[in-house]
Amino acid sequence: MTDFAARRTMMVDTQVRPSDVTKFPIIDAMLSVPREDFVPDAKREAAYMGENIDLGAGRVVLEPRTLAKMLDAVDVQPDEMVLDLGCGLGYSSAVLARLADFVVAVESDEAMAGEAQAALSAFGADNVAVIHGEPAEGNAKNGPYDVIVVEGAVEQITGAVVDQLKDGGRIAAIFADGKLGTVRVGYKIDGQMAWRHSFHAGAPVMSGFETSRTFVL
């Protein structure tokens, strides 16, 4: 029988801590959430590898290092509301649920959204609502949000998502740049976004976050 708890500890000790993630709430959350319960059954054995796990339908579970460093950069507080875009099977939302007051998770794949809600309920994350919808549209009904995290790469952040961020709020996303993407953290100040480069990471570009291309003949 696989000792997933031991693998979880090893993941934190070899992938998260060495990446300069030292905030106790993040370490504690990643030690507490059973990552193997938020991946397809056929991929449970690969749950703790240091790479993105493909969920199909353009979704991945971001590698532990990437997610941990993104959460470290946005510094979620216990009284904050978080929007988790492209939540897949809910792993990122389960981790965020340990850090935030409430999490709204948006997933466009209806079957995946249903599985995410079931897995989160089984884990006891009762402060997460999974919404079936387009991540690029966010979820204005429950906003505005203190923090927005995008669980995939983007070419641009949509105006709809920016509009749902509170002034003083933060967005973390992987911006696609060739094969090597860059995580940027955006801060909303007086209604305007100011972006900072954080670190390199990769993921598939999420539908709806592509740059509009104009073709000239």
Side-chain angles (χ1 to χ4, degrees):
M1 186 171 175
T2 303
D3 187 346
F4 285 116
R7 290 191 185 185
R8 202 171 309 131
T9 300
M10 185 176 289
M11 172 192 78
V12 169
D13 287 346
T14 63
Q15 299 176 50
V16 177
R17 292 184 198 269
S19 299
D20 296 324
V21 177
T22 57
K23 292 186 177 77
F24 174 77
I26 298 172
I27 298 290
D28 183 58
M30 297 192 81
L31 283 171
S32 302
V33 178
R35 190 172 161 97
E36 71 276 9
D37 290 346
F38 295 90
V39 302
D41 286 343
K43 298 190 176 181
R44 284 172 66 88
E45 286 294 326
Y48 293 97
M49 293 179 68
E51 58 189 40
N52 295 339
I53 298 174
D54 184 14
L55 300 177
R59 292 287 178 272
V60 296
V61 183
L62 291 175
E63 64 171 316
R65 167 190 172 273
T66 299
L67 179 63
K69 286 177 73 67
M70 288 172 79
L71 298 182
D72 188 65
V74 291
D75 196 20
V76 179
Q77 297 300 305
D79 61 347
E80 291 187 320
M81 178 96 127
V82 179
L83 179 62
D84 191 26
L85 298 177
C87 70
L89 294 177
Y91 175 72
S92 54
S93 305
V95 174
L96 282 162
R98 308 274 301 190
L99 306 174
D101 183 44
F102 198 81
V103 180
V104 175
V106 179
E107 177 49 61
S108 59
D109 185 284
E110 190 169 8
M112 219 175 273
E115 288 186 53
Q117 189 66 74
L120 287 159
S121 297
F123 176 59
D126 55 4
N127 60 333
V128 181
V130 180
I131 309 293
H132 174 229
E134 292 299 327
E137 295 172 7
N139 183 252
K141 178 182 176 183
N142 293 295
Y145 304 93
D146 299 286
V147 174
I148 299 175
V149 184
V150 185
E151 303 298 332
V154 305
E155 292 179 345
Q156 63 177 9
I157 294 288
T158 60
V161 168
V162 171
D163 288 346
Q164 291 167 36
L165 186 67
K166 289 181 184 177
D167 212 59
R170 294 89 69 204
I171 298 177
I174 302 168
F175 281 76
D177 183 14
K179 289 187 177 180
L180 195 62
T182 302
V183 172
R184 296 180 197 163
V185 178
Y187 302 84
K188 195 172 189 180
I189 303 164
D190 296 331
Q192 301 295 314
M193 293 301 300
W195 293 92
R196 293 181 189 166
H197 291 258
S198 189
F199 61 98
H200 290 300
V205 174
M206 202 179 292
S207 176
F209 289 98
E210 305 93 345
T211 302
S212 299
R213 291 175 174 83
T214 303
F215 292 95
V216 179
L217 295 176

